[in-house]
Amino acid sequence: MRVDPIQRAIDEDLVRVLYAQDPIAFFTHWFAITVLVAPYWTNIPHPQLFAACFIFYGLANCAGLVLWMCQRRWPDTLQPRVWIYLHAVRNVLLYAAPGLSIWFSFQSAQTDLPLLHTVMLLTLAAGVFMSNGFDVINFTTSIAFLLLPTIAMHFGVHTFDRTLIASVLAFFFCAINVYSVSYRKLFQRVVQARVDQQTLAESLAEQKLVAEEANLAKTRFFAAASHDLRQPLHAIGLLAASLNDPEATRAQHAKTVDYIVNNVEALNQLFNQVLDLARLESGVAQVIPMHFRLSELFDRVGNQYWPQAAAKGLALRIAPTPAVIHGDPVLLERILSNLLSNAVRYTESGAIWMGYRRAGRATGGHIEVRDSGIGIAPDEQERIFEEFYQVTNPQRDARQGHGLGLPTVKRLVELHGSALRLRSAPGRGSVFRFSVEAGDAARIVAGFNEAASGAAAMQGRHVLCIDDEPAILEGLKSLFGRWGCTVRGVPDEALALRAIDEGFEPDAVLCDYQLANHRSGAEALAAVRDALHRRGRAQVVTLLITGDMASAELHALAAQGIPVLHKPVTAARLRRTLELLWRQPELTQEQLTEVGQGVVQALPQAAFGRQG
Ligand code: ADP
């Protein structure tokens, strides 16, 4: 049974307060026994009964002390509520004898004894209010035993003064009960305030810790990022300066230019990796799940890495699988590429294995990449998922990577609804594993490898490009021209609409996200789609291109499945995205419903592999 945390805190405090008074109560009760027995000493009515009653009182008092010792010694053996109930039982035993012993005073010949006894009981009642008033069960059991027999006995005498005493006692009994209710409410409010304050303090401490960790991670990130970005820039600067050397030969110049190109390429790759990661962090990355054969993906990724593996003398084994998967092939390809590239990089001898295991699961299985490489020490196994963290590259040699692969893989796997698991030991290789959902063979979209080879897909297409930057427009026009497309480049929405009015019917419209005149690309694309719709063209591929990463509008577009490509967009990435988008209308109606609007409208902006 789950106990409400506030109630539990109240119970814990109650236990503390109830039991705290018990040692003092132990001595008080011996004093009470003495004071109650003393007036009777010369003439005890019903001596045996009297002795039994007060021996019981003494024993109950000792039992109360034993209970107190047990609670002190083994506080956690019982729930706080159970300790409270046990204390109530102790109260019943402890207050029954003095309360009921009022009867002896009425049996005695001494007329003032009932009053003396009553005063003694009132003193005990005041003590009960102080020590047990916080808890309803402990209070009512004690006070009832102490006062109700006395009230009844006084009423039973039927004289005016005894009836008056009985009435006052009854009034006192009611009043003390009413007071104890407010006393308990106050107590609960105090405990609640303390618990609230404690929770607040704990959550503040937690947030502070998280903020400090984030700050440290950010510092590490910038230190590593600035180093890795500065290195190639520094090299480019030096190399560019050496181009001015009048004494250098043509061959030396050519070599310098080669170095510069290589460094620019390295810089470009690093930028792409950082931007990819930032895009994943910002939550605008889209997952477009499809049903596809896993073997096709394995072949595609395997083909990229087997030459590198063979060059190192490593066997790259890819387990044949008939499995059909439901997932985003583009994201999965990036995940597997990263894992295989690491496996090749960190394995000197032996083999690399990539395969799919169903592991008795009906709804899917998991993909594993294993290697017999250097392995990863247990204390590094969390850190390798931090950005720019590398175990074996203290000199940060860019040729050995930048430590961005695994953080990216981890986020991609999470984006895919799974978690990346690692099993590794130094010198014994590593296994990276994540789960995937089983697909339906009947819903397979045509082999996704085919899209890459679709040269014909571009030929003769009409493309409308909207961008207010003339250089980009020129670049796009020349690129699409080379691919055999008919291109129209315009700087804004008005001219795009005019081009459509003039009869230009594009198969694809590419638009920059931020246009001049405070128009957004999304608005321009909507206007173009409307214009084409009016001319009877329902299906047109539209694509936004942006350098913006975190605007709320972009998040909304990503959530609606509007296709967005993030700058820098490589030619291959652009082409592959368009080819896949053009293939979407060929899907059956059932497939369209299955993957939702996203497939027709959207393709992952994070297109296709590290290399784009
Ligand atoms: P990179 O490979 O670019 O350095 P990653 O983020 O992909 O960056 O990997 C981070 C670190 O994790 C690597 O520097 C390496 O030390 C360790 N690592 C990753 N994969 C493996 C592997 N298969 N075997 C051993 N170590 C690995």
Side-chain angles (χ1 to χ4, degrees):
M1 189 183 67
R2 287 198 57 211
V3 184
D4 161 24
I6 299 281
Q7 186 56 49
R8 188 173 172 101
I10 291 175
D11 285 356
E12 281 168 359
D13 277 17
L14 266 180
V15 171
R16 230 170 282 138
V17 183
L18 287 173
Y19 283 82
Q21 317 288 335
D22 286 359
I24 301 169
F26 177 73
F27 293 107
T28 311
H29 283 288
W30 281 123
F31 177 70
I33 290 170
T34 317
V35 173
L36 284 174
V37 171
Y40 295 90
W41 200 248
T42 48
N43 185 13
I44 298 176
H46 306 282
Q48 282 177 342
L49 210 58
F50 187 88
C53 178
F54 280 91
I55 289 172
F56 180 80
Y57 189 9
L59 288 175
N61 196 20
C62 294
L65 192 71
V66 172
L67 180 70
W68 171 78
M69 288 195 282
C70 292
Q71 198 283 327
R72 252 182 92 87
R73 202 172 161 78
W74 302 289
D76 300 327
T77 44
L78 298 174
Q79 293 286 326
R81 193 90 302 252
V82 179
W83 286 118
I84 293 169
Y85 289 142
L86 285 177
H87 199 267
V89 173
R90 167 250 188 212
N91 284 355
V92 170
L93 299 177
L94 194 58
Y95 292 103
L100 295 171
S101 68
I102 188 83
W103 179 78
F104 295 109
S105 68
F106 284 85
Q107 304 302 311
S108 166
Q110 302 175 57
T111 49
D112 53 350
L113 254 183
L115 280 183
L116 190 68
H117 204 114
T118 304
V119 170
M120 198 56 219
L121 292 181
L122 280 175
T123 316
L124 282 177
V128 164
F129 179 73
M130 301 299 287
S131 58
N132 290 270
F134 305 108
D135 177 56
V136 63
I137 302 173
N138 275 269
F139 180 70
T140 45
T141 47
S142 322
I143 212 75
F145 272 103
L146 277 180
L147 294 183
L148 290 182
T150 308
I151 294 170
M153 294 299 294
H154 281 291
F155 268 128
V157 176
H158 300 301
T159 62
F160 175 73
D161 54 344
R162 289 302 165 86
T163 307
L164 194 65
I165 290 175
S167 308
V168 172
L169 281 175
F171 178 77
F172 175 73
F173 179 78
C174 296
I176 204 170
N177 271 289
V178 171
Y179 283 135
S180 81
V181 172
S182 9
Y183 200 32
R184 280 197 292 277
K185 278 193 186 147
L186 181 69
F187 177 76
Q188 289 189 354
R189 275 206 293 273
V190 169
V191 177
Q192 176 132 17
R194 181 185 63 74
V195 172
D196 287 349
Q197 209 174 19
Q198 200 173 324
T199 319
L200 191 70
E202 279 168 10
S203 97
L204 279 178
E206 228 168 77
Q207 281 171 18
K208 191 166 166 250
L209 203 74
V210 170
E212 277 169 6
E213 271 173 16
N215 210 15
L216 267 178
K218 192 183 74 189
T219 310
R220 275 200 305 269
F221 180 94
F222 281 122
S226 62
H227 173 275
D228 287 12
L229 289 171
R230 222 181 284 237
Q231 272 307 83
L233 272 180
H234 178 62
I236 291 167
L238 293 178
L239 289 164
S242 74
L243 282 178
N244 284 333
D245 182 358
E247 287 171 19
T249 62
R250 262 181 94 83
Q252 278 170 328
H253 269 158
K255 209 166 166 188
T256 310
V257 168
D258 268 356
Y259 283 138
I260 292 177
V261 169
N262 286 346
N263 273 293
V264 168
E265 179 55 29
L267 203 58
N268 190 27
Q269 234 181 33
L270 179 57
F271 260 118
N272 278 337
Q273 283 184 12
V274 174
L275 291 177
D276 269 1
L277 203 58
R279 187 164 51 234
L280 286 169
E281 290 276 355
S282 69
V284 292
Q286 295 158 320
V287 180
I288 315 286
M290 299 179 188
H291 298 267
F292 66 95
R293 280 188 207 294
L294 188 58
S295 55
E296 285 183 33
L297 177 63
F298 277 0
D299 287 349
R300 194 175 155 78
V301 188
N303 285 341
Q304 282 172 40
Y305 287 97
W306 84 255
Q308 287 176 37
K312 283 183 88 175
L314 303 171
L316 174 57
R317 301 202 178 102
I318 296 180
T321 172
V324 174
I325 293 300
H326 183 233
D328 186 327
V330 175
L331 299 190
L332 285 169
E333 182 179 333
R334 294 180 64 204
I335 293 170
L336 293 179
S337 291
N338 271 298
L339 292 178
L340 271 191
S341 118
N342 276 349
V344 173
R345 185 181 291 160
Y346 300 108
T347 306
E348 290 314 318
S349 64
I352 293 159
W353 185 90
M354 177 167 72
Y356 172 77
R357 290 172 189 270
R358 196 173 280 280
R361 292 171 44 181
T363 52
H366 45 249
I367 296 179
E368 273 186 13
V369 175
R370 295 165 171 262
D371 64 62
S372 57
I374 57 172
I376 304 156
D379 54 336
E380 302 282 4
Q381 289 184 9
E382 262 189 40
R383 299 207 62 194
I384 55 169
F385 295 102
E386 289 171 13
E387 295 85 2
F388 287 105
Y389 186 78
Q390 294 184 293
V391 182
T392 50
N393 190 11
Q395 67 284 14
R396 300 210 63 81
D397 176 358
R399 282 165 301 183
Q400 294 179 43
H402 298 282
L404 289 172
L406 286 182
T408 309
V409 168
K410 184 169 177 272
R411 280 172 187 76
L412 285 171
V413 169
E414 285 165 0
L415 193 63
H416 217 255
S418 176
L420 186 63
R421 306 245 173 268
L422 163 67
R423 224 174 49 235
S424 182
R428 301 184 55 191
S430 309
V431 184
F432 287 89
R433 181 170 110 165
F434 59 94
S435 60
V436 282
E437 204 185 308
D440 181 353
R443 294 169 163 190
I444 290 178
V445 176
F448 66 91
N449 282 348
E450 291 160 25
S453 62
M458 300 300 285
Q459 197 70 38
R461 295 278 193 179
H462 285 62
V463 181
L464 178 61
C465 304
I466 314 172
D467 201 310
D468 52 0
E469 180 63 55
I472 292 182
L473 222 44
E474 269 320 301
L476 284 172
K477 281 194 329 206
S478 117
L479 189 69
F480 280 111
R482 269 189 280 130
W483 288 339
C485 302
T486 308
V487 204
R488 195 72 174 260
V490 291
D492 58 32
E493 180 186 321
L495 288 174
L497 293 177
R498 191 190 295 171
I500 290 166
D501 277 348
E502 286 166 5
F504 187 78
E505 289 201 1
D507 298 297
V509 186
L510 267 68
C511 187
D512 185 33
Y513 179 59
Q514 269 167 355
L515 294 173
N517 306 329
H518 304 290
R519 292 295 283 172
S520 84
E523 290 166 327
L525 284 181
V528 167
R529 263 199 303 266
D530 277 353
L532 285 168
H533 204 258
R534 282 196 298 274
R535 295 178 72 91
R537 280 287 300 273
Q539 286 284 0
V540 61
V541 160
T542 53
L543 199 57
L544 266 181
I545 300 181
T546 179
D548 196 350
M549 197 81 75
S551 86
E553 202 180 339
L554 268 183
H555 275 276
L557 292 175
Q560 290 165 35
I562 306 287
V564 184
L565 279 178
H566 290 263
K567 293 174 189 172
V569 182
T570 62
R573 184 178 282 198
L574 181 59
R575 179 178 180 139
R576 185 116 188 266
T577 307
L578 283 173
E579 283 172 354
L580 273 162
L581 281 170
W582 276 324
R583 278 180 49 236
Q584 302 311 319
E586 294 160 19
L587 299 180
T588 65
Q589 191 53 45
E590 192 194 352
Q591 283 165 335
L592 286 180
T593 325
E594 207 282 316
V595 287
Q597 269 229 309
V599 160
V600 187
Q601 289 277 330
L603 261 207
Q605 70 285 12
F608 324 125
R610 263 171 149 170
Q611 309 82 342

